[in-house]
Amino acid sequence: MKKRNIAILGATGSIGTQALDVVRTFPELLEVSVLTAASNAELLIKQALEFKPRAVVILQDEGYPKVKDALEGSGILVLSGGTALEEVVQYEEIDVVLNAIVGSAGLRPTVKAIQSGKDIALANKETLVVAGQLIMDLVQQHQVAMLPVDSEHSAIFQCLAGEGENPIEKIYLTASGGPFRGKDRAFLTHVTKQQALKHPNWVMGAKITIDSASLMNKGLEVIEAKWLFGLEPDQIDVIVHPQSIVHSMVQFKDGSMKAQMGLPDMKLPIQHALTYPCRQENSFERFNFLNYPSLTFEPADTHTFRNLDLAYRALNDGGDRPCVLNAANEIAVSAFLEEKISFLAMSELIEATMCQLKLVETPTLDDLLAIDQESRIVARDLMNKM
Ligand code: NDP
Ligand code: MG
């Protein structure tokens, strides 16, 4: 494998820091050209001094002087602001842009990176939820690779290797069920953010951890899978698998099924995307069947966790609906984390926002960016009336 130059957007987050662990594991294969953060200046400085990228971006202006001072004389360019993200992904030496930003803020940088011919390693599922059709059209037009980092989608991608044009009958996305698996709505009425932030199998950023507890993460992943693999909604099933060992499955037209398995460790799908199609030897812990004598599966409880159905509804209605769903969810999750609304109120807020806004059937990218903003305003407004 030829050495690859990468840009890591969201380097200070859960995926970003694990991606840097992967870079540390393969210094002869991976080189970092760009690192970005929203506000965590301290960690960004530390990472910059270790990895010596060409540039770093600190999104929020307040952090800029600190990063600038700390990197004075290092030769590393320090930038700030949203447009800087769109600028740095275009650097000529970059081969792959790993998008590990959280939320729809990841959309514009993904678009710019594709337009400048970069392969994308995508953790930022919101990019595909908001603008799946437009993004996949751009991928086609610019002939770049879209490499999934999300563990379920990486699993499906790996199961499809060598299958050529063989048609998929169905895929099964596995879900851990989160910290509230088996609980009913009465229990969920009073759950706290501390309880919701305790994921049984994965340590992740706050937003995706809440999404996992509410099953919205799986809803977003159903939409992500539709675009990545060109499927119809009824070809995508969700199955709860509490051990998180089977990362997802593909069923082909002949009824044969392939699953990809491994310990729940995001470094594996990150490495797969960054070194694709080569499998490089590492010393990460191996999965042992004897430690997991029983792998179990159960249906998702969509009566208790309504977000999964809302996501299917958005996907079936099409157009701008997934964008509205996502924006309302981002507002709902922040409000829950700020202890302004209850756990169950998140679904109510998302549904009410979707009902309030009229369907736009074939939105452009600019339309979607505007609808994302408008949906946030509507959601905030509805929340204040709750
Ligand atoms: P984190 O919250 O841990 O990290 C987010 C990163 O993005 C941080 O570097 C943060 O900077 C930066 N950031 C936050 N807001 C913005 C913004 N508005 N614009 C630019 N940068 C921003 O998130 P995760 O790493 O958990 O998740 C990142 C993405 O990957 C999400 O889309 C998530 O759904 C997806 N994903 C995550 C998995 C995981 O295991 N964590 C698994 C599968 C998918 P700062 O640190 O300064 O705030
Ligand atoms: Mg996932």
Side-chain angles (χ1 to χ4, degrees):
M1 180 187 143
K2 205 174 129 252
K3 192 164 190 168
R4 275 183 203 159
N5 208 302
I6 57 177
I8 304 182
L9 311 183
T12 50
S14 160
I15 293 289
T17 51
Q18 293 181 85
L20 287 172
D21 283 342
V22 172
V23 175
R24 280 189 195 97
T25 311
F26 303 106
E28 69 294 354
L29 297 178
L30 300 171
E31 184 176 3
V32 175
S33 196
V34 166
L35 295 170
T36 83
S39 61
N40 191 343
E42 224 150 276
L43 183 55
L44 185 65
I45 292 165
K46 224 171 128 205
Q47 294 176 336
L49 292 172
E50 179 183 350
F51 291 94
K52 312 216 161 19
R54 168 169 162 191
V56 296
V57 179
I58 179 95
L59 185 72
Q60 292 169 9
D61 299 338
E62 306 89 80
Y64 177 78
K66 187 169 179 181
V67 182
K68 181 82 182 146
D69 276 359
L71 299 184
E72 193 69 58
S74 66
I76 300 167
L77 184 64
V78 181
L79 302 165
S80 139
T83 51
L85 288 176
E86 294 172 49
E87 202 180 301
V88 292
V89 295
Q90 302 184 46
Y91 287 169
E92 200 179 329
E93 72 276 13
I94 295 172
D95 301 301
V96 186
V97 173
L98 168 62
N99 189 339
I101 288 174
V102 60
S104 63
L107 176 58
R108 278 176 193 268
T110 314
V111 169
K112 270 287 180 268
I114 298 172
Q115 285 172 336
S116 41
K118 311 302 182 193
D119 288 338
I120 307 293
L122 191 74
N124 179 250
K125 62 192 85 186
E126 294 90 345
T127 283
L128 285 176
V129 172
V130 174
Q133 178 78 64
L134 295 172
I135 291 290
M136 296 318 285
D137 288 350
L138 280 176
V139 163
Q140 193 68 26
Q141 187 188 336
H142 294 274
Q143 292 290 299
V144 300
M146 177 58 88
L147 304 158
V149 169
D150 214 345
S151 58
E152 297 77 1
H153 306 75
S154 175
I156 303 286
F157 189 74
Q158 294 181 57
C159 290
L160 292 176
E163 291 292 344
E165 298 295 305
N166 284 337
I168 298 171
E169 190 163 82
K170 235 180 169 62
I171 64 169
Y172 292 88
L173 298 179
T174 51
S176 70
F180 303 138
R181 182 175 65 88
K183 305 296 188 202
D184 59 14
R185 292 183 70 82
F187 178 91
L188 292 180
T189 312
H190 300 296
V191 292
T192 62
K193 78 170 189 186
Q194 284 77 14
Q195 286 171 292
L197 283 170
K198 270 201 198 108
H199 196 279
N201 303 340
W202 303 93
V203 179
M204 310 179 284
K207 193 249 174 190
I208 185 178
T209 307
I210 300 303
D211 284 345
S212 299
S214 72
L215 276 199
M216 181 55 95
N217 183 48
K218 217 45 58 179
L220 301 179
E221 290 184 355
V222 167
I223 302 173
E224 182 186 13
K226 182 214 155 66
W227 297 115
L228 281 172
F229 307 114
L231 302 170
E232 292 306 319
D234 64 2
Q235 288 178 288
I236 309 169
D237 259 9
V238 169
I239 188 156
V240 173
H241 166 48
Q243 298 80 21
S244 296
I245 295 298
V246 175
H247 296 308
S248 279
M249 297 166 260
V250 180
Q251 179 176 310
F252 293 93
K253 285 275 191 227
D254 61 356
S256 181
M257 235 186 204
K258 281 192 189 175
Q260 188 266 338
M261 305 168 70
L263 289 171
D265 178 354
M266 284 308 296
K267 291 202 296 303
L268 285 177
I270 294 169
Q271 174 181 327
H272 186 266
L274 294 181
T275 62
Y276 179 78
C278 307
R279 289 198 187 263
Q280 301 292 339
E281 186 177 350
N282 62 32
S283 56
F284 305 158
E285 191 187 344
R286 273 21 182 184
F287 168 66
N288 180 346
F289 273 99
L290 301 180
N291 294 337
Y292 291 84
S294 116
L295 296 178
T296 60
F297 301 90
E298 60 196 50
D301 176 0
T302 51
H303 169 72
T304 305
F305 301 95
R306 295 188 46 239
N307 284 348
L308 185 56
D309 275 353
L310 290 176
Y312 270 105
R313 201 197 294 173
L315 187 56
N316 281 309
D317 291 349
D320 69 342
R321 294 297 91 180
C323 170
V324 176
L325 170 97
N326 179 72
N329 181 56
E330 288 192 30
I331 295 299
V333 171
S334 316
F336 175 69
L337 286 171
E338 289 164 25
E339 299 178 316
K340 288 185 184 153
I341 62 172
S342 70
F343 187 81
L344 290 177
M346 289 195 287
S347 309
E348 286 166 35
L349 185 56
I350 296 161
E351 186 171 30
T353 309
M354 287 167 74
C355 290
Q356 184 115 345
L357 287 155
K358 268 224 207 87
L359 170 73
V360 179
E361 277 183 29
T362 45
T364 62
L365 186 63
D366 285 339
D367 292 339
L368 288 169
L369 293 166
I371 291 163
D372 175 72
Q373 290 306 314
E374 191 188 351
S375 308
R376 286 164 195 267
I377 293 168
V378 170
R380 277 198 204 96
D381 196 40
L382 287 167
M383 188 179 76
N384 292 333
K385 291 183 193 144
M386 267 171 132

